[in-house]
């Protein structure tokens, strides 16, 4: 294969077949992928772990499973262990019998795929989550690490909050980078690609809802990098658990309601603290966000329930997966709200989704039993995948996740609005 890229002797040898024909094809695919975006070289993946976005054994993905089997049979195993997005199905989550059967048919290849992931390099049985960067999971890249990840909410978090470097890779491409150990050098891997094309000035009268703010910015800047002024007024200048939880949800909304892979927050995120205005390109566009602008964005969300006036039958919180901080905070808010309204159980079937390691850590805290007693289900699933079938799509489901709202028929409400519905009931 001829390429305009400048390859090292090791990379050229792999391309020429030193590690077998299949690995050569993996390298060739990565090179062609990089050439589309103007990459002139390949660079080593330096993070300890990878992360894969494809976690579901969908019956229609036969060619993907055949490709993975080819990698396994030819010894092209990941050069690094990896975590993986959450699974699509949990029998503990409320579903009708018909819906359960349908889910098992749709995800009929799950056992085969889980076995393939183990052989390819899955870190362990509890590594299924979209928030692999949480301390309970341990997949926390260092500042400057080069990653080969997919999962948009994880990529934007790693780039922005951790200062690692990763492009918004697709499924399979991210695995190829981990298998090969190299990725093409372009985009967010470069200093220039990390500079901001937008200046966002926050002029709200109170701390904005993370998911709504992220949605507004994502829809405005699309795939560009924003540099945000004014958010540190509400978040402070320390990346503590509470702030990181806020940024997790904020970033997920920018990445799903737009295609943001990196943001900078003045006075808070690592590169903004280090480089400040040097991160902003000349002639950067400006976006001013007020209370009225956020309300405008929210008011324009479409309602795609079959019956727009239906009473909510189910609530999902945790897309991306909830942190320990969120589980405890939501438990305390629900407990207070239910007591004020002389209730003991949430008024709507409610599922909190989180990773198994966070769930296990939560069990050590007094809030855990309180939450269970209030009737909330804790699950490891991906709510987006749960909603991805005709029967679930017909349900009136609410969420405070802008990512889940964007990709499914769920209806968005703010955390405060959902808290009121869960504790007061819906008329």
């Amino acid at each position: 294969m001829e390429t305009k890229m400048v390859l090292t002797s090791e990379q050229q040898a792999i391309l020429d077949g030193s590690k077998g024909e299949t690995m050569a094809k993996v390298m060739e695919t990565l090179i062609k992928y990089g050439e589309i975006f103007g990459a002139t070289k390949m660079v080593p993946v330096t993070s300890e772990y990878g992360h894969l976005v494809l976690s579901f054994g969908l019956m229609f993905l036969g060619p993907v499973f055949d490709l993975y089997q080819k990698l396994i049979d030819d010894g092209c195993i990941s050069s690094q262990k990896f975590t993986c997005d959450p699974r699509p199905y949990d029998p503990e989550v409320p579903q009708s019998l018909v819906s359960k059967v349908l889910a098992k048919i749709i995800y009929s290849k799950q056992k085969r795929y889980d076995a393939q992931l183990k052989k390819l390099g899955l870190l362990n049985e509890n590594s299924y989550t979209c928030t692999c960067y949480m301390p309970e999971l341990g997949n926390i890249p260092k500042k400057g690490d080069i990653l080969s990840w997919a999962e948009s909410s994880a990529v934007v978090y790693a780039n922005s909050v951790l200062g690692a470097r990763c492009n918004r890779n697709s499924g399979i491409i991210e695995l190829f980078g981990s298998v090969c150990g190299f990725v093409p050098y372009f985009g967010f891997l470069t200093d220039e690609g990390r500079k901001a094309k937008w200046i966002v000035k926050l002029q709200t009268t109170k701390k904005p809802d993370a998911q709504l703010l992220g949605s507004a910015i994502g829809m405005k800047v699309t795939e560009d990098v924003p540099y945000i002024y004014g958010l540190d007024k509400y978040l402070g200048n320390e990346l503590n658990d509470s702030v990181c939880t806020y940024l997790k949800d904020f970033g997920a909304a920018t990445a799903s309601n737009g295609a943001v892979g990196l943001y900078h927050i003045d006075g808070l995120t690592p590169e903004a603290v280090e480089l400040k205005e040097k991160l902003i390109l000349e002639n950067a566009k400006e976006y001013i966000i007020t209370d009225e602008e956020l309300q405008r964005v929210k008011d324009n969300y479409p309602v795609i329930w079959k019956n727009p006036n239906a009473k909510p039958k189910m609530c999902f919180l945790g897309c991306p997966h909830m942190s320990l901080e969120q589980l405890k905070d939501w438990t305390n808010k629900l407990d207070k709200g239910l007591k004020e309204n002389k209730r003991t159980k949430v008024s709507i079937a409610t599922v909190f989704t989180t990773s198994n390691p966070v769930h296990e850590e939560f069990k050590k805290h007094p809030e855990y039993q309180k939450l269970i007693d209030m009737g909330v289900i804790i699950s490891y699933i991906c709510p987006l995948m749960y909603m991805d079938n005709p029967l679930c799509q017909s349900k009136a489901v609410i969420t405070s996740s802008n990512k889940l709202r964007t990709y499914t028929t769920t209806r968005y409400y703010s955390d405060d609005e959902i808290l009121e519905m869960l504790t007061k009931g819906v008329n």
Side-chain angles (χ1 to χ4, degrees):
M1 171 191 170
E2 293 185 5
T3 175
K4 296 178 181 178
M5 281 196 191
V6 178
L7 303 179
T8 66
S9 57
E10 178 186 5
Q11 294 162 358
Q12 185 64 55
I14 294 173
L15 183 61
D16 291 340
S18 66
K19 294 187 178 181
E21 181 182 356
T22 299
M23 186 67 87
K25 288 182 179 179
V26 169
M27 175 64 87
E28 180 181 352
T29 301
L30 288 169
I31 290 172
K32 287 182 176 179
Y33 168 61
E35 286 178 337
I36 294 172
F37 296 97
T40 58
K41 63 180 179 179
M42 302 285 287
V43 293
V45 174
T46 61
S47 62
E48 184 174 3
Y49 302 117
H51 183 79
L52 307 190
V53 68
L54 181 58
S55 61
F56 43 94
L58 193 62
M59 62 184 296
F60 307 110
L61 295 182
V64 172
F65 307 138
D66 292 344
L67 170 62
Y68 282 17
Q69 194 59 49
K70 178 67 174 176
L71 294 173
I72 293 167
D73 291 343
D74 291 354
C76 298
I77 307 303
S78 175
S79 58
Q80 54 177 189
K81 294 288 186 179
F82 54 79
T83 50
C84 191
D85 263 18
R87 288 167 170 154
Y89 180 74
D90 179 356
E92 299 302 316
V93 177
Q95 282 181 298
S96 68
L97 178 60
V98 175
S99 189
K100 286 182 179 180
V101 171
L102 181 61
K104 287 188 176 182
I105 293 172
I106 291 173
Y107 300 114
S108 59
K109 303 298 182 182
Q110 194 65 46
K111 287 185 179 180
R112 178 191 179 191
Y113 186 51
D114 287 343
Q116 287 182 321
L117 289 174
K118 290 178 184 178
K119 292 178 181 178
L120 283 167
L122 183 69
L123 183 57
N124 57 55
E125 286 282 351
N126 287 317
S127 295
Y128 292 93
T129 181
C130 49
T131 56
C132 58
Y133 44 80
M134 288 187 180
E136 294 83 3
L137 274 295
N139 188 356
I140 309 174
K142 300 185 294 295
K143 184 175 182 292
D145 266 349
I146 303 296
L147 317 182
S148 183
W149 287 14
E151 167 53 43
S152 61
S153 69
V155 168
V156 72
Y157 187 95
N159 276 324
S160 309
V161 182
L162 302 178
R165 299 198 169 200
C166 185
N167 284 315
R168 280 177 54 111
N169 297 307
S170 66
I172 302 179
I173 284 291
E174 99 277 60
L175 175 60
F176 279 11
S178 289
V179 166
C180 194
F182 298 99
V183 288
Y185 184 72
F186 70 93
F188 297 133
L189 273 58
T190 70
D191 290 343
E192 191 66 17
R194 298 179 74 81
K195 291 185 177 179
K197 293 183 178 180
W198 282 86
I199 295 171
V200 177
K201 294 182 178 179
L202 191 63
Q203 297 179 1
T204 57
T205 59
K206 61 181 180 179
K207 179 181 175 180
D209 179 277
Q211 295 271 2
L212 184 55
L213 178 63
S215 171
I217 292 175
M219 287 193 286
K220 188 70 171 183
V221 310
T222 58
E223 79 276 11
D224 292 336
V225 178
Y227 190 100
I228 304 160
Y229 287 99
L231 192 52
D232 59 330
K233 170 184 175 182
Y234 301 111
L235 300 183
N237 302 110
E238 178 188 352
L239 290 170
N240 54 36
D241 289 346
S242 177
V243 170
C244 287
T245 292
Y246 183 97
L247 296 180
K248 165 184 73 75
D249 290 340
F250 165 77
T254 69
S256 57
N257 286 202
V260 175
L262 166 66
Y263 58 82
H264 303 294
I265 298 175
D266 189 61
L268 182 60
T269 52
E271 287 167 282
V273 170
E274 178 185 351
L275 298 171
K276 299 181 173 63
E277 284 78 9
K278 293 178 182 178
L279 287 169
I280 303 173
L281 291 168
E282 290 186 18
N283 302 317
K285 300 175 184 178
E286 185 174 276
Y287 180 34
I288 296 176
I289 297 182
T290 60
D291 296 335
E292 292 76 17
E293 172 63 2
L294 290 179
Q295 189 63 48
R296 180 195 68 79
V297 170
K298 184 183 177 189
D299 290 344
N300 279 282
Y301 290 154
V303 177
I304 53 177
W305 288 352
K306 288 186 176 180
N307 176 9
N309 299 315
K311 290 184 179 181
K313 299 298 183 183
M314 193 172 181
C315 174
F316 267 117
L317 296 179
C319 181
H321 272 174
M322 297 175 81
S323 67
L324 179 62
E325 171 95 12
Q326 277 178 303
L327 289 169
K328 293 165 69 174
D329 182 54
W330 262 102
T331 300
N332 292 327
K333 289 192 296 186
L334 286 173
D335 183 51
K336 180 182 177 182
L338 288 171
K339 285 178 179 176
E340 289 175 350
N341 290 287
K342 297 181 172 55
R343 293 171 176 261
T344 59
K345 302 279 187 180
V346 291
S347 62
I348 303 169
T350 302
V351 181
F352 285 3
T353 64
T354 190
S355 66
N356 281 335
V358 171
H359 188 177
E360 289 303 311
E361 181 60 33
F362 184 47
K363 288 180 179 179
K364 301 174 185 177
H365 297 264
E367 289 88 353
Y368 171 74
Q369 193 57 49
K370 280 186 181 180
L371 188 64
I372 300 302
D373 290 343
M374 289 185 285
V376 175
I377 294 169
I378 304 174
S379 176
Y380 53 76
I381 64 167
C382 171
L384 194 158
M385 291 295 103
Y386 172 94
M387 292 294 299
D388 195 23
N389 70 72
L391 292 177
C392 289
Q393 287 171 7
S394 65
K395 291 182 179 180
V397 181
I398 60 173
T399 185
S400 62
S401 165
N402 244 311
K403 179 174 184 178
L404 189 58
R405 175 199 68 83
T406 302
Y407 294 131
T408 70
T409 57
T410 52
R411 186 171 180 174
Y412 173 85
Y413 290 94
S414 69
D415 282 349
D416 289 343
E417 289 170 326
I418 285 181
L419 177 63
E420 184 171 342
M421 284 189 276
L422 295 182
T423 57
K424 285 186 177 182
V426 181
N427 295 326

